[in-house]
Amino acid sequence: MDLSTLSPENLDRYYHIITEANSIRRHNELLAWLQGEIQYYLPHEILIAAWGDFAANRISYDIVSALPGVRTEHSTPQALLPLLQGLFNRWVELGKSPYTLGVGESGFLLEGDGLQCSLGKALQAMRSLLVHGLINERSRHDCIYVIFSSERKLHESLGAVQILLPYLDMAFCRVTPLTSPQPQPDQPLLSDQLSGSENPSLSKREVEIMKWVKMGKTNLEIASILDISVFTVKNHLRHIFKVLDVTNRMQAAAKIAKSAKPDD
């Protein structure tokens, strides 16, 4: 979007959005800002900021929404993080350019217990999402912003998000993030079955997926068995391949079988 082509009214609206971003200090102020004039360019009901080391699957996130109960502290990270990782991977594959998806293309449903939380229920009503991000060259951490809308017109916001992203990021950086929920004690990371990586780790879900992979099940069959989307299965497999330093499911299955304990 070329600012020089905007009408005086739109230029004035951008000016107010940017000016207000500079004054944000608290989470409630961030919510009020996101519900204000910025909705004209980025219409949404839910916005999720996710940051950290995506390559190592160490991700934090903050959810901002006016919808009842849709809060960071009430979310289920085991269900949300695979979706965020997948959206980040696609952003990278697209040359780190903003993109939109319709509900039929990505499957916004969270897996497992995530469907029952307020966020999981709210996402079922969303019809499109917009993703854009940036890399902090100082911390070397990545950050993506995921905008969910109940309407199907977020493709019209691709130009606006490129202009507003720096101010969106600045606003979030001024606010102390709410603490993302941590995995429950009964869902530890499992590393004792793996070798060949400096700090290998698979989640409980990824170990479960690999059991079905070793039985020769396809991604579609695994998705059906575990009641998750094919998109989520593919995302888990990408992380599994990266952890095991392999390129396909046969190599992954062989490596896990080789390093498994005798009594497994």
Short mmCIF file of all heavy atoms in Angstrom, two decimals, residues 25-76:
data_model
loop_
_atom_site.label_atom_id
_atom_site.label_comp_id
_atom_site.label_asym_id
_atom_site.label_seq_id
_atom_site.Cartn_x
_atom_site.Cartn_y
_atom_site.Cartn_z
N ARG A 25 0.66 1.40 27.48
CA ARG A 25 1.53 0.91 28.54
C ARG A 25 0.95 -0.34 29.22
O ARG A 25 1.68 -1.12 29.82
CB ARG A 25 1.74 1.99 29.62
CG ARG A 25 2.52 3.21 29.16
CD ARG A 25 3.95 2.88 28.82
NE ARG A 25 4.73 4.06 28.46
CZ ARG A 25 4.76 4.60 27.25
NH1 ARG A 25 4.04 4.04 26.26
NH2 ARG A 25 5.49 5.67 27.01
N ARG A 26 -0.36 -0.52 29.16
CA ARG A 26 -1.01 -1.63 29.87
C ARG A 26 -1.79 -2.51 28.90
O ARG A 26 -2.13 -2.09 27.80
CB ARG A 26 -1.95 -1.09 30.95
CG ARG A 26 -1.24 -0.28 32.03
CD ARG A 26 -2.25 0.22 33.06
NE ARG A 26 -1.59 0.93 34.15
CZ ARG A 26 -1.28 2.22 34.10
NH1 ARG A 26 -1.57 2.92 33.01
NH2 ARG A 26 -0.68 2.81 35.11
N HIS A 27 -2.08 -3.71 29.36
CA HIS A 27 -2.78 -4.67 28.52
C HIS A 27 -4.18 -4.19 28.15
O HIS A 27 -4.63 -4.39 27.02
CB HIS A 27 -2.87 -6.03 29.24
CG HIS A 27 -2.81 -7.20 28.30
ND1 HIS A 27 -3.92 -7.71 27.67
CD2 HIS A 27 -1.76 -7.97 27.89
CE1 HIS A 27 -3.56 -8.73 26.92
NE2 HIS A 27 -2.26 -8.92 27.02
N ASN A 28 -4.88 -3.55 29.09
CA ASN A 28 -6.22 -3.05 28.78
C ASN A 28 -6.17 -1.91 27.76
O ASN A 28 -7.09 -1.74 26.95
CB ASN A 28 -6.94 -2.61 30.06
CG ASN A 28 -6.27 -1.44 30.75
OD1 ASN A 28 -5.05 -1.31 30.71
ND2 ASN A 28 -7.05 -0.61 31.40
N GLU A 29 -5.08 -1.14 27.77
CA GLU A 29 -4.91 -0.08 26.77
C GLU A 29 -4.63 -0.69 25.40
O GLU A 29 -5.10 -0.17 24.38
CB GLU A 29 -3.76 0.84 27.19
CG GLU A 29 -4.03 1.62 28.46
CD GLU A 29 -2.83 2.40 28.96
OE1 GLU A 29 -1.70 2.11 28.49
OE2 GLU A 29 -3.00 3.28 29.81
N LEU A 30 -3.88 -1.78 25.38
CA LEU A 30 -3.62 -2.49 24.13
C LEU A 30 -4.93 -3.02 23.54
O LEU A 30 -5.18 -2.88 22.33
CB LEU A 30 -2.65 -3.64 24.38
CG LEU A 30 -2.31 -4.54 23.18
CD1 LEU A 30 -1.61 -3.75 22.08
CD2 LEU A 30 -1.44 -5.72 23.62
N LEU A 31 -5.77 -3.60 24.39
CA LEU A 31 -7.06 -4.12 23.93
C LEU A 31 -7.92 -2.99 23.37
O LEU A 31 -8.52 -3.13 22.29
CB LEU A 31 -7.79 -4.82 25.07
CG LEU A 31 -9.22 -5.28 24.78
CD1 LEU A 31 -9.25 -6.28 23.63
CD2 LEU A 31 -9.86 -5.89 26.03
N ALA A 32 -7.98 -1.87 24.08
CA ALA A 32 -8.79 -0.74 23.63
C ALA A 32 -8.29 -0.22 22.28
O ALA A 32 -9.08 0.12 21.39
CB ALA A 32 -8.76 0.37 24.67
N TRP A 33 -6.98 -0.16 22.10
CA TRP A 33 -6.38 0.30 20.85
C TRP A 33 -6.74 -0.63 19.69
O TRP A 33 -7.11 -0.18 18.60
CB TRP A 33 -4.87 0.40 21.01
CG TRP A 33 -4.11 0.86 19.80
CD1 TRP A 33 -4.15 2.09 19.22
CD2 TRP A 33 -3.18 0.09 19.02
NE1 TRP A 33 -3.31 2.14 18.14
CE2 TRP A 33 -2.70 0.92 17.99
CE3 TRP A 33 -2.71 -1.22 19.11
CZ2 TRP A 33 -1.76 0.48 17.05
CZ3 TRP A 33 -1.78 -1.66 18.20
CH2 TRP A 33 -1.32 -0.81 17.17
N LEU A 34 -6.68 -1.93 19.96
CA LEU A 34 -6.98 -2.91 18.92
C LEU A 34 -8.47 -2.95 18.57
O LEU A 34 -8.85 -3.42 17.50
CB LEU A 34 -6.53 -4.31 19.36
CG LEU A 34 -5.01 -4.53 19.41
CD1 LEU A 34 -4.68 -5.87 20.05
CD2 LEU A 34 -4.40 -4.44 18.02
N GLN A 35 -9.31 -2.47 19.47
CA GLN A 35 -10.74 -2.41 19.19
C GLN A 35 -11.16 -1.07 18.58
O GLN A 35 -12.33 -0.89 18.24
CB GLN A 35 -11.54 -2.64 20.49
CG GLN A 35 -11.38 -4.02 21.07
CD GLN A 35 -11.81 -5.11 20.11
OE1 GLN A 35 -12.92 -5.09 19.60
NE2 GLN A 35 -10.94 -6.08 19.87
N GLY A 36 -10.20 -0.16 18.43
CA GLY A 36 -10.49 1.17 17.91
C GLY A 36 -10.36 1.27 16.40
O GLY A 36 -10.77 0.36 15.65
N GLU A 37 -9.76 2.36 15.94
CA GLU A 37 -9.70 2.65 14.51
C GLU A 37 -8.90 1.62 13.71
O GLU A 37 -9.10 1.48 12.49
CB GLU A 37 -9.12 4.05 14.28
CG GLU A 37 -10.06 5.17 14.68
CD GLU A 37 -9.51 6.52 14.27
OE1 GLU A 37 -8.41 6.86 14.75
OE2 GLU A 37 -10.18 7.23 13.49
N ILE A 38 -8.02 0.90 14.38
CA ILE A 38 -7.22 -0.09 13.66
C ILE A 38 -8.12 -1.19 13.06
O ILE A 38 -7.75 -1.85 12.09
CB ILE A 38 -6.14 -0.70 14.59
CG1 ILE A 38 -5.04 -1.37 13.75
CG2 ILE A 38 -6.75 -1.69 15.58
CD1 ILE A 38 -3.83 -1.79 14.58
N GLN A 39 -9.33 -1.35 13.62
CA GLN A 39 -10.28 -2.33 13.09
C GLN A 39 -10.70 -1.98 11.66
O GLN A 39 -11.11 -2.87 10.91
CB GLN A 39 -11.52 -2.41 13.99
CG GLN A 39 -11.31 -3.12 15.31
CD GLN A 39 -11.39 -4.62 15.19
OE1 GLN A 39 -11.92 -5.16 14.22
NE2 GLN A 39 -10.85 -5.33 16.17
N TYR A 40 -10.60 -0.73 11.30
CA TYR A 40 -10.94 -0.31 9.94
C TYR A 40 -10.03 -0.98 8.92
O TYR A 40 -10.45 -1.32 7.81
CB TYR A 40 -10.84 1.21 9.83
CG TYR A 40 -11.23 1.77 8.48
CD1 TYR A 40 -12.57 2.04 8.17
CD2 TYR A 40 -10.27 2.03 7.50
CE1 TYR A 40 -12.93 2.55 6.92
CE2 TYR A 40 -10.62 2.54 6.26
CZ TYR A 40 -11.95 2.79 5.97
OH TYR A 40 -12.30 3.29 4.74
N TYR A 41 -8.76 -1.17 9.31
CA TYR A 41 -7.77 -1.76 8.40
C TYR A 41 -7.52 -3.25 8.69
O TYR A 41 -7.21 -4.01 7.77
CB TYR A 41 -6.45 -1.01 8.51
CG TYR A 41 -6.56 0.44 8.12
CD1 TYR A 41 -6.51 1.45 9.08
CD2 TYR A 41 -6.75 0.81 6.79
CE1 TYR A 41 -6.62 2.79 8.72
CE2 TYR A 41 -6.87 2.14 6.43
CZ TYR A 41 -6.80 3.12 7.39
OH TYR A 41 -6.93 4.44 7.03
N LEU A 42 -7.62 -3.62 9.96
CA LEU A 42 -7.37 -5.01 10.35
C LEU A 42 -8.56 -5.52 11.17
O LEU A 42 -8.46 -5.72 12.38
CB LEU A 42 -6.08 -5.10 11.20
CG LEU A 42 -4.79 -4.58 10.57
CD1 LEU A 42 -3.64 -4.67 11.57
CD2 LEU A 42 -4.45 -5.36 9.30
N PRO A 43 -9.68 -5.77 10.51
CA PRO A 43 -10.87 -6.23 11.25
C PRO A 43 -10.64 -7.61 11.84
O PRO A 43 -10.23 -8.54 11.15
CB PRO A 43 -11.95 -6.25 10.16
CG PRO A 43 -11.20 -6.44 8.88
CD PRO A 43 -9.91 -5.69 9.05
N HIS A 44 -10.89 -7.74 13.14
CA HIS A 44 -10.64 -9.03 13.78
C HIS A 44 -11.37 -9.13 15.12
O HIS A 44 -11.76 -8.12 15.69
CB HIS A 44 -9.14 -9.23 14.01
CG HIS A 44 -8.55 -8.29 15.02
ND1 HIS A 44 -8.20 -6.99 14.70
CD2 HIS A 44 -8.28 -8.45 16.34
CE1 HIS A 44 -7.73 -6.39 15.78
NE2 HIS A 44 -7.76 -7.25 16.79
N GLU A 45 -11.51 -10.37 15.58
CA GLU A 45 -12.03 -10.63 16.92
C GLU A 45 -10.95 -11.16 17.86
O GLU A 45 -11.05 -11.02 19.07
CB GLU A 45 -13.16 -11.65 16.86
CG GLU A 45 -14.49 -11.12 16.36
CD GLU A 45 -14.56 -11.09 14.83
OE1 GLU A 45 -13.66 -11.66 14.17
OE2 GLU A 45 -15.52 -10.51 14.30
N ILE A 46 -9.92 -11.78 17.29
CA ILE A 46 -8.85 -12.38 18.09
C ILE A 46 -7.51 -12.05 17.46
O ILE A 46 -7.35 -12.16 16.24
CB ILE A 46 -8.99 -13.91 18.17
CG1 ILE A 46 -10.36 -14.31 18.73
CG2 ILE A 46 -7.87 -14.52 19.03
CD1 ILE A 46 -10.66 -15.80 18.60
N LEU A 47 -6.55 -11.63 18.27
CA LEU A 47 -5.19 -11.40 17.79
C LEU A 47 -4.23 -12.13 18.72
O LEU A 47 -4.31 -11.97 19.95
CB LEU A 47 -4.85 -9.91 17.74
CG LEU A 47 -3.57 -9.55 16.96
CD1 LEU A 47 -3.65 -8.13 16.41
CD2 LEU A 47 -2.32 -9.66 17.85
N ILE A 48 -3.35 -12.93 18.14
CA ILE A 48 -2.36 -13.67 18.92
C ILE A 48 -0.97 -13.26 18.49
O ILE A 48 -0.63 -13.31 17.30
CB ILE A 48 -2.52 -15.19 18.75
CG1 ILE A 48 -3.94 -15.63 19.15
CG2 ILE A 48 -1.48 -15.93 19.59
CD1 ILE A 48 -4.18 -17.11 18.95
N ALA A 49 -0.17 -12.82 19.45
CA ALA A 49 1.25 -12.56 19.21
C ALA A 49 2.03 -13.78 19.70
O ALA A 49 1.82 -14.24 20.83
CB ALA A 49 1.70 -11.31 19.95
N ALA A 50 2.90 -14.32 18.87
CA ALA A 50 3.71 -15.49 19.26
C ALA A 50 5.17 -15.18 18.97
O ALA A 50 5.50 -14.69 17.89
CB ALA A 50 3.26 -16.73 18.50
N TRP A 51 6.05 -15.47 19.91
CA TRP A 51 7.46 -15.14 19.74
C TRP A 51 8.33 -16.18 20.43
O TRP A 51 7.89 -16.94 21.27
CB TRP A 51 7.74 -13.75 20.31
CG TRP A 51 7.56 -13.66 21.80
CD1 TRP A 51 8.50 -13.82 22.77
CD2 TRP A 51 6.33 -13.41 22.50
NE1 TRP A 51 7.95 -13.69 24.02
CE2 TRP A 51 6.62 -13.44 23.88
CE3 TRP A 51 5.02 -13.17 22.08
CZ2 TRP A 51 5.64 -13.23 24.85
CZ3 TRP A 51 4.04 -12.95 23.05
CH2 TRP A 51 4.34 -12.99 24.41
N GLY A 52 9.60 -16.21 20.02
CA GLY A 52 10.55 -17.13 20.63
C GLY A 52 11.41 -17.81 19.59
O GLY A 52 11.60 -17.32 18.48
N ASP A 53 11.91 -18.97 19.93
CA ASP A 53 12.75 -19.77 19.04
C ASP A 53 11.88 -20.85 18.42
O ASP A 53 11.71 -21.95 18.97
CB ASP A 53 13.91 -20.39 19.84
CG ASP A 53 14.93 -21.09 18.94
OD1 ASP A 53 14.60 -21.35 17.77
OD2 ASP A 53 16.04 -21.36 19.42
N PHE A 54 11.31 -20.56 17.27
CA PHE A 54 10.40 -21.50 16.62
C PHE A 54 11.13 -22.77 16.17
O PHE A 54 10.55 -23.85 16.16
CB PHE A 54 9.70 -20.84 15.43
CG PHE A 54 8.60 -19.91 15.82
CD1 PHE A 54 8.88 -18.62 16.23
CD2 PHE A 54 7.27 -20.32 15.78
CE1 PHE A 54 7.86 -17.74 16.59
CE2 PHE A 54 6.24 -19.46 16.13
CZ PHE A 54 6.54 -18.16 16.55
N ALA A 55 12.39 -22.63 15.80
CA ALA A 55 13.16 -23.79 15.34
C ALA A 55 13.32 -24.81 16.46
O ALA A 55 13.34 -26.02 16.21
CB ALA A 55 14.53 -23.35 14.83
N ALA A 56 13.43 -24.34 17.69
CA ALA A 56 13.59 -25.23 18.84
C ALA A 56 12.25 -25.51 19.53
O ALA A 56 12.22 -26.17 20.56
CB ALA A 56 14.57 -24.61 19.85
N ASN A 57 11.18 -25.02 18.94
CA ASN A 57 9.83 -25.23 19.48
C ASN A 57 9.68 -24.63 20.88
O ASN A 57 8.95 -25.16 21.72
CB ASN A 57 9.48 -26.72 19.51
CG ASN A 57 7.99 -26.96 19.46
OD1 ASN A 57 7.24 -26.18 18.89
ND2 ASN A 57 7.55 -28.04 20.08
N ARG A 58 10.36 -23.50 21.12
CA ARG A 58 10.23 -22.78 22.39
C ARG A 58 9.51 -21.47 22.09
O ARG A 58 10.12 -20.48 21.68
CB ARG A 58 11.60 -22.54 23.02
CG ARG A 58 12.27 -23.80 23.53
CD ARG A 58 13.47 -23.48 24.43
NE ARG A 58 14.56 -22.91 23.69
CZ ARG A 58 15.55 -23.61 23.15
NH1 ARG A 58 15.57 -24.92 23.25
NH2 ARG A 58 16.53 -23.00 22.50
N ILE A 59 8.21 -21.48 22.28
CA ILE A 59 7.36 -20.38 21.85
C ILE A 59 6.52 -19.86 23.01
O ILE A 59 5.96 -20.64 23.78
CB ILE A 59 6.40 -20.83 20.72
CG1 ILE A 59 7.18 -21.54 19.60
CG2 ILE A 59 5.62 -19.66 20.17
CD1 ILE A 59 6.29 -22.25 18.61
N SER A 60 6.45 -18.55 23.13
CA SER A 60 5.54 -17.89 24.07
C SER A 60 4.48 -17.17 23.24
O SER A 60 4.69 -16.87 22.07
CB SER A 60 6.29 -16.88 24.95
OG SER A 60 7.27 -17.52 25.73
N TYR A 61 3.35 -16.89 23.86
CA TYR A 61 2.30 -16.20 23.12
C TYR A 61 1.44 -15.36 24.05
O TYR A 61 1.42 -15.57 25.28
CB TYR A 61 1.44 -17.18 22.34
CG TYR A 61 0.68 -18.18 23.19
CD1 TYR A 61 -0.56 -17.87 23.75
CD2 TYR A 61 1.20 -19.45 23.43
CE1 TYR A 61 -1.26 -18.77 24.52
CE2 TYR A 61 0.51 -20.37 24.19
CZ TYR A 61 -0.72 -20.03 24.74
OH TYR A 61 -1.39 -20.94 25.52
N ASP A 62 0.74 -14.41 23.47
CA ASP A 62 -0.19 -13.57 24.21
C ASP A 62 -1.44 -13.40 23.34
O ASP A 62 -1.33 -13.13 22.14
CB ASP A 62 0.44 -12.20 24.51
CG ASP A 62 -0.25 -11.48 25.66
OD1 ASP A 62 -1.19 -12.05 26.24
OD2 ASP A 62 0.16 -10.34 25.97
N ILE A 63 -2.59 -13.58 23.93
CA ILE A 63 -3.87 -13.49 23.22
C ILE A 63 -4.58 -12.22 23.64
O ILE A 63 -4.72 -11.95 24.83
CB ILE A 63 -4.76 -14.71 23.52
CG1 ILE A 63 -4.05 -16.01 23.14
CG2 ILE A 63 -6.11 -14.59 22.82
CD1 ILE A 63 -4.76 -17.26 23.63
N VAL A 64 -5.04 -11.44 22.66
CA VAL A 64 -5.79 -10.23 22.96
C VAL A 64 -7.13 -10.31 22.22
O VAL A 64 -7.16 -10.43 21.00
CB VAL A 64 -5.04 -8.96 22.52
CG1 VAL A 64 -5.83 -7.72 22.90
CG2 VAL A 64 -3.66 -8.91 23.17
N SER A 65 -8.21 -10.26 22.97
CA SER A 65 -9.54 -10.37 22.38
C SER A 65 -10.58 -9.80 23.33
O SER A 65 -10.43 -9.88 24.55
CB SER A 65 -9.87 -11.85 22.07
OG SER A 65 -11.19 -11.99 21.61
N ALA A 66 -11.62 -9.26 22.75
CA ALA A 66 -12.75 -8.77 23.55
C ALA A 66 -13.79 -9.86 23.78
O ALA A 66 -14.76 -9.65 24.51
CB ALA A 66 -13.40 -7.58 22.85
N LEU A 67 -13.61 -11.03 23.17
CA LEU A 67 -14.56 -12.12 23.33
C LEU A 67 -14.48 -12.69 24.75
O LEU A 67 -13.38 -12.82 25.31
CB LEU A 67 -14.27 -13.23 22.32
CG LEU A 67 -14.43 -12.85 20.84
CD1 LEU A 67 -14.03 -14.03 19.95
CD2 LEU A 67 -15.85 -12.41 20.54
N PRO A 68 -15.60 -13.04 25.35
CA PRO A 68 -15.61 -13.56 26.73
C PRO A 68 -14.74 -14.80 26.88
O PRO A 68 -14.86 -15.76 26.12
CB PRO A 68 -17.09 -13.89 26.96
CG PRO A 68 -17.84 -13.04 25.99
CD PRO A 68 -16.96 -12.94 24.78
N GLY A 69 -13.86 -14.78 27.87
CA GLY A 69 -13.05 -15.94 28.21
C GLY A 69 -11.88 -16.23 27.31
O GLY A 69 -11.07 -17.12 27.61
N VAL A 70 -11.76 -15.50 26.19
CA VAL A 70 -10.65 -15.75 25.26
C VAL A 70 -9.44 -14.98 25.78
O VAL A 70 -9.21 -13.83 25.43
CB VAL A 70 -11.01 -15.33 23.82
CG1 VAL A 70 -9.84 -15.62 22.88
CG2 VAL A 70 -12.25 -16.07 23.36
N ARG A 71 -8.69 -15.64 26.63
CA ARG A 71 -7.56 -15.02 27.32
C ARG A 71 -6.36 -15.95 27.29
O ARG A 71 -6.49 -17.18 27.22
CB ARG A 71 -7.92 -14.72 28.79
CG ARG A 71 -9.15 -13.85 28.97
CD ARG A 71 -8.90 -12.42 28.53
NE ARG A 71 -10.05 -11.57 28.78
CZ ARG A 71 -11.05 -11.38 27.93
NH1 ARG A 71 -11.03 -12.00 26.75
NH2 ARG A 71 -12.06 -10.59 28.22
N THR A 72 -5.17 -15.37 27.40
CA THR A 72 -3.94 -16.16 27.40
C THR A 72 -3.96 -17.21 28.50
O THR A 72 -3.66 -18.39 28.28
CB THR A 72 -2.72 -15.25 27.59
OG1 THR A 72 -2.74 -14.22 26.60
CG2 THR A 72 -1.43 -16.04 27.48
N GLU A 73 -4.33 -16.79 29.71
CA GLU A 73 -4.27 -17.69 30.87
C GLU A 73 -5.29 -18.81 30.82
O GLU A 73 -5.18 -19.80 31.55
CB GLU A 73 -4.42 -16.91 32.17
CG GLU A 73 -5.75 -16.17 32.33
CD GLU A 73 -5.72 -14.76 31.77
OE1 GLU A 73 -4.93 -14.49 30.86
OE2 GLU A 73 -6.49 -13.91 32.28
N HIS A 74 -6.30 -18.70 29.96
CA HIS A 74 -7.33 -19.74 29.87
C HIS A 74 -7.12 -20.66 28.66
O HIS A 74 -7.95 -21.53 28.42
CB HIS A 74 -8.72 -19.10 29.77
CG HIS A 74 -9.08 -18.29 30.98
ND1 HIS A 74 -10.02 -17.27 30.94
CD2 HIS A 74 -8.61 -18.32 32.25
CE1 HIS A 74 -10.13 -16.72 32.14
NE2 HIS A 74 -9.27 -17.34 32.94
N SER A 75 -6.05 -20.47 27.93
CA SER A 75 -5.81 -21.26 26.72
C SER A 75 -5.08 -22.55 27.05
O SER A 75 -4.59 -22.75 28.16
CB SER A 75 -5.01 -20.45 25.70
OG SER A 75 -3.74 -20.11 26.24
N THR A 76 -5.00 -23.43 26.06
CA THR A 76 -4.33 -24.72 26.21
C THR A 76 -3.12 -24.76 25.28
O THR A 76 -3.28 -24.95 24.08
CB THR A 76 -5.29 -25.87 25.86
OG1 THR A 76 -6.48 -25.75 26.64
CG2 THR A 76 -4.64 -27.22 26.14
#
